[in-house]
Amino acid sequence: VYPQPALAGQEMKLRFSSIRFGQKIRLSLFASNGNRVWTDELSATAGPLITIQLPFLSPGIYLIRADIESTLYEKKLIIQ
């Protein structure tokens, strides 16, 4: 995930080294209290790089979770 930390409203990029073109990705974002604040299902159209923009996020620490063909990836996301 970069940039890290990100500014509120800034475009973020996620890189997955093992993803193939056309693969489905289910992304979820959780606040530090465990509440899910966002979910989306995307297709990998630009190789291993996924771009997202979450303008509604308040500053804080979040967990981004990606489910790719039943494999889970998790990464901390800091919004300033």
Side-chain angles (χ1 to χ4, degrees), residues 51-62:
T51 301
I52 59 172
Q53 192 159 5
L54 304 170
F56 57 86
L57 291 181
S58 299
I61 298 173
Y62 297 86

Side-chain angles (χ1 to χ4, degrees), residues 2-12 52-60 62 77-80:
Y2 60 93
Q4 188 72 284
L7 298 175
Q10 186 174 18
E11 185 176 85
M12 290 167 272
I52 59 172
Q53 192 159 5
L54 304 170
F56 57 86
L57 291 181
S58 299
Y62 297 86
L77 172 65
I78 300 170
I79 302 293
Q80 289 185 333

Side-chain angles (χ1 to χ4, degrees), residues 11-36:
E11 185 176 85
M12 290 167 272
K13 298 189 185 299
L14 310 170
R15 182 175 298 278
F16 300 97
S17 58
S18 60
I19 198 166
R20 296 182 316 273
F21 181 82
Q23 252 182 320
K24 298 280 187 212
I25 306 160
R26 181 177 175 82
L27 292 175
S28 298
L29 190 69
F30 297 88
S32 58
N33 63 5
N35 289 337
R36 184 179 310 185

